[in-house]
Amino acid sequence: MLKLTKKADYGLMALKYLAEHPEMPALSAKDIADAYGIPAQLLAKILQRLTKTGLLRSHAGMNGGYALARDARTISAFEVIHSIDGPFFITSCTKGAKGCDLTPSCTIKEPLARVNETIAGVLKSISIYDLAEREAAAAHTAAAQPLVSLTL
Amino acid sequence: MLKLTKKADYGLMALKYLAEHPEMPALSAKDIADAYGIPAQLLAKILQRLTKTGLLRSHAGMNGGYALARDARTISAFEVIHSIDGPFFITSCTKGAKGCDLTPSCTIKEPLARVNETIAGVLKSISIYDLAEREAAAAHTAAAQPLVSLTL
DNA sequence: TGAATATCCGACTTGTTCGGTCCGCATTCA
DNA sequence: TGAATGCGGACCGAACAAGTCGGATATTCA
Ligand code: SF4
Ligand code: SF4
């Protein structure tokens, strides 16, 4: 319940790692996997998906690898999770085709949809850059005020 | 990924239903299950857990059933979810005993813990009463301003 | 050219969780 | 007593998550 998949987790780690090493033109899946102890083949597939959705750019061949397609500031955690795990819904309904069969009689799906929106907003407000620069962030974000309002 | 279990879902529905019928001294699991089409035996077990954690009061025997143990305003969605699904964590680490084995090298667990806190806060800000009174709520909560601030 | 290094992609296995059912027991009340 | 109800464990099947394997393709370098 309400748990991130490890794949999404790994994806965030990898993106953060790439954001922290802008000097490298490209890093291979194996490089990143070794840096954290993530199964290399699994990470490879995750990075492939991120590439397919446009968050990363890939380059095959020797000295190839992956690099951020956009500035770290413009990549949100929401996008990463969405790319890896698919559409984001906290409820089983609105799950594309096959939701739960009692959707018509259900009286809490609308309020829960708002909650869903709120959480999605939280995720969207977090960028890869935010994850990477946490030490500096501790100083000045104390006053920063993102920003979620839940009006059920 | 980040999906509520149906059990928690059912629990919220049941509690909302109870909140909407304060005139009844007690409603049986079957009554509530029939009202929505939820499998009766499954809902029964859910209500049992909610009773064990103190959110409901039960009474066996004929004309028995369940009733809210506290005012609907003081029961949060977070409590319901926590009662049914156990501790609330979006990451696989901090999962009691067996987390993911790369916890030491992981660099995003701290920021994710903040996100976890934020989402928990959202859930805590929602009461059963809020779910039950949505029609009236639509009018006056437009100005209401709960209230979550995420400083990563 | 050919070897080495990469990405790419689908199929597969394994373990866990979730949704749901079943059955026996305890409690209350008419 | 007996019907209605709560209580609680055991159990099952389906879905899903995590990870593995094998092979195809693309790029670079010697
Ligand atoms: S319809 Fe209601 S019960 Fe079914 S998944 Fe949606 S919110 Fe949950
Ligand atoms: S340690 Fe890092 S990778 Fe492992 S579950 Fe926690 S956040 Fe995810």
Side-chain angles (χ1 to χ4, degrees), chain B residues 5-7 10 39 41-42 45 59-62 95 98:
Chain B
T5 60
K6 277 194 179 174
K7 296 186 191 182
Y10 294 161
Q41 307 209 67
L42 179 55
K45 243 189 341 196
H59 186 58
M62 288 183 61
K95 174 75 171 305
K98 46 168 297 188

Side-chain angles (χ1 to χ4, degrees), chain A residues 6 9-10 13, chain B residues 91-93 100 102-103 106 108-109 112:
Chain A
K6 277 191 179 177
D9 220 344
Y10 294 162
M13 292 175 69
Chain B
T91 49
S92 304
C93 50
C100 92
L102 49 87
T103 305
C106 177
I108 61 169
K109 48 176 293 194
L112 283 185

Side-chain angles (χ1 to χ4, degrees), chain B residues 26-29 58-66:
Chain B
L27 286 166
S28 76
S58 64
H59 186 58
M62 288 183 61
N63 288 32
Y66 298 89

Side-chain angles (χ1 to χ4, degrees), chain A residues 6 9 15 20 24-25 34 37 46 59-60 65 82 86 88 91-92 97 99 113 122 124 130 133 138 141-142 145 147:
Chain A
K6 277 191 179 177
D9 220 344
L15 254 43
E20 286 172 339
M24 302 295 289
D34 287 351
I46 295 170
H59 186 58
H82 182 276
F88 176 79
T91 50
S92 304
V122 172
K124 281 174 184 162
D130 294 332
E133 305 296 324
T141 52
Q145 75 309 7
L147 58 56

